[in-house]
């Protein structure tokens, strides 16, 4: 068989029916289209599917990137009933620490907030504070409403699950003051001038533009890293990984463990403290 545009369109409709997040749907659509474009009308067989894996390796993608692309294509193949063509993921040893150039520190986070406020970017500063103080995903920002700030909690419905996120009292006061200045009496607090929800891309772009002015490396500044910072600070405070997994909305604690990896430098300091080299 060959993969047609109609097949991918049906696949996307199925993902929406399964209540997959907008980010997941966008990624699966992008990777599915890339695979179909690479096939370029050639029949889908176990051999051609395997060549796609080799193609990605030849392109020099990172192993994690390749596995995420293979997972998306495997989901498409499963939907099409081509289970025999599903691809084996690369076997990658679990990392025990994060790259230093990806670790956003608390001091750098504060520099971002201070710079945004100095530049008059109140919405961006408050948005970053909201993500970092609650650990929500960027796709969950729309659930931060005037009503949620008044109640002190947000009800988030995503990926077929509903969870309650508590909003710190100080954050609620800031959110309600901001909403009042924007004359927002109900609904989403973080919206565009035309009243539409902020898109993932817009939030990403605004944060990246802030990097240079704040003097923080762009590799460290993206919405999901604020979620990582929340996880690290929360865990240091309570040492309860099960509770943290619930707050973050993770189905598996193994996912939460990834959020708690220290940097290579911190890992090296821990090894030095062992005192096993005489």
């Amino acid at each position: 068989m060959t993969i047609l545009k109609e097949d991918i369109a049906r696949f996307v409709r199925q993902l929406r029916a399964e209540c997959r997040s907008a980010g997941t749907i966008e990624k699966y659509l992008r990777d599915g289209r890339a695979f179909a474009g690479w096939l370029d009308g050639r029949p889908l067989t176990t051999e051609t599917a395997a060549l796609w894996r080799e193609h990605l390796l030849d392109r020099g993608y990172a192993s994690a990137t390749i596995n995420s692309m293979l997972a998306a294509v495997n989901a498409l193949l499963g939907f099409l009933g081509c289970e025999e063509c599903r691809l084996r993921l690369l076997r990658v040893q679990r990392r025990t620490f994060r790259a230093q150039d990806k670790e956003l520190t608390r001091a750098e986070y504060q520099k971002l907030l201070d710079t945004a406020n100095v530049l008059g970017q109140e919405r961006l500063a408050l948005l970053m504070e909201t993500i970092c103080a609650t650990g929500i995903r960027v796709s969950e920002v729309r659930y931060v409403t005037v009503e949620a700030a008044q109640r002190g909690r947000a009800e988030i419905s995503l990926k077929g699950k509903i969870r309650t996120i508590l909003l710190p009292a100080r954050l609620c006061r800031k959110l309600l003051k901001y909403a009042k200045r924007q004359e927002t009496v109900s609904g989403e607090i973080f919206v565009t001038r035309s009243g539409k929800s902020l898109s993932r891309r817009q939030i990403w772009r605004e944060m990246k533009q802030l990097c240079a002015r704040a003097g923080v490396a762009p590799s460290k500044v993206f919405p999901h890293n604020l979620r990582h910072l929340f996880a690290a600070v929360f865990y240091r405070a309570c040492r309860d990984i099960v509770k943290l997994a619930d707050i973050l909305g993770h189905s598996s604690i193994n996912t939460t463990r990834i959020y708690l990896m220290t940097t290579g430098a911190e890992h090296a300091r821990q090894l030095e403290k062992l005192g096993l080299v005489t």
Side-chain angles (χ1 to χ4, degrees):
M1 66 170 292
T2 57
I3 299 179
L4 306 174
K5 291 182 179 179
E6 293 77 9
D7 296 323
I8 295 179
R10 288 191 299 110
F11 176 54
V12 169
R13 287 196 294 271
Q14 178 61 32
L15 292 174
R16 289 180 179 139
E18 294 173 356
C19 298
R20 298 297 187 97
S21 70
T24 297
I25 293 174
E26 181 182 349
K27 174 174 173 39
Y28 278 27
L29 176 60
R30 181 174 63 249
D31 293 341
R33 282 175 172 170
F35 178 58
W38 176 82
L39 283 174
D40 195 23
R42 288 178 293 170
L44 174 61
T45 65
T46 55
E47 290 76 17
T48 53
L51 286 174
W52 167 249
R53 185 172 181 267
E54 298 304 317
H55 167 73
L56 296 178
L57 286 167
D58 290 341
R59 291 288 300 273
Y61 290 116
S63 55
T65 300
I66 292 176
N67 278 344
S68 72
M69 296 175 75
L70 294 179
V73 169
N74 281 342
L76 172 61
L77 295 176
F79 170 76
L80 296 175
C82 301
E83 297 287 346
E84 71 282 359
C85 294
R86 289 169 64 91
L87 297 153
R88 283 188 304 104
L89 301 186
L90 300 177
R91 296 184 63 181
V92 182
Q93 182 178 346
R94 187 190 300 273
R95 288 187 303 163
T96 57
F97 53 85
R98 296 188 74 197
Q100 188 77 30
D101 63 346
K102 294 291 180 66
E103 186 77 10
L104 180 68
T105 67
R106 196 162 185 168
E108 290 168 332
Y109 162 66
Q110 190 61 54
K111 285 176 66 176
L112 291 169
L113 293 182
D114 293 342
T115 303
N117 283 315
V118 167
L119 295 175
Q121 295 178 293
E122 182 185 14
R123 184 184 68 188
L124 179 59
L126 186 55
L127 175 61
M128 290 191 296
E129 271 192 299
T130 301
I131 294 175
C132 199
T134 60
I136 60 174
R137 301 176 177 90
V138 67
S139 58
E140 297 170 340
V141 167
R142 68 180 186 273
Y143 293 101
V144 180
T145 62
V146 172
E147 293 80 5
Q150 291 169 340
R151 293 192 303 265
R153 64 184 185 276
E155 302 292 335
I156 293 177
S157 176
L158 201 65
K159 297 185 177 182
K161 297 182 292 185
I162 298 177
R163 75 184 197 280
T164 300
I165 293 295
L166 298 181
L167 305 176
R170 187 172 181 180
L171 175 64
C172 288
R173 290 193 293 270
K174 295 182 74 170
L175 289 169
L176 291 173
K177 285 181 181 179
Y178 173 78
K180 185 175 182 179
R181 287 194 294 273
Q182 299 301 312
E183 300 182 351
T184 302
V185 295
S186 65
E188 295 179 49
I189 291 178
F190 298 107
V191 294
T192 63
R193 290 180 180 177
S194 61
K196 295 181 180 179
S197 301
L198 286 177
S199 69
R200 178 192 304 264
R201 289 183 179 178
Q202 183 171 353
I203 295 171
W204 182 290
R205 184 173 62 250
E206 289 185 9
M207 288 183 65
K208 289 296 184 183
Q209 290 172 345
L210 185 64
C211 295
R213 301 295 296 271
V216 180
S219 62
K220 298 183 177 186
V221 183
F222 49 93
H224 205 69
N225 235 13
L226 298 174
R227 186 166 148 89
H228 275 271
L229 180 57
F230 165 84
V233 174
F234 183 93
Y235 184 73
R236 282 197 292 268
C238 72
R239 297 291 174 177
D240 189 338
I241 193 171
V242 175
K243 185 174 183 179
L244 176 58
D246 289 339
I247 292 173
L248 295 175
H250 289 160
S251 300
S252 170
I253 290 180
N254 286 331
T255 303
T256 312
R257 286 180 59 200
I258 297 173
Y259 283 61
L260 301 179
M261 287 192 298
T262 59
T263 64
E266 178 63 24
H267 185 66
R269 283 194 292 271
Q270 291 169 350
L271 293 178
E272 291 292 339
K273 289 179 181 179
L274 297 178
L276 296 176
V277 179
T278 60

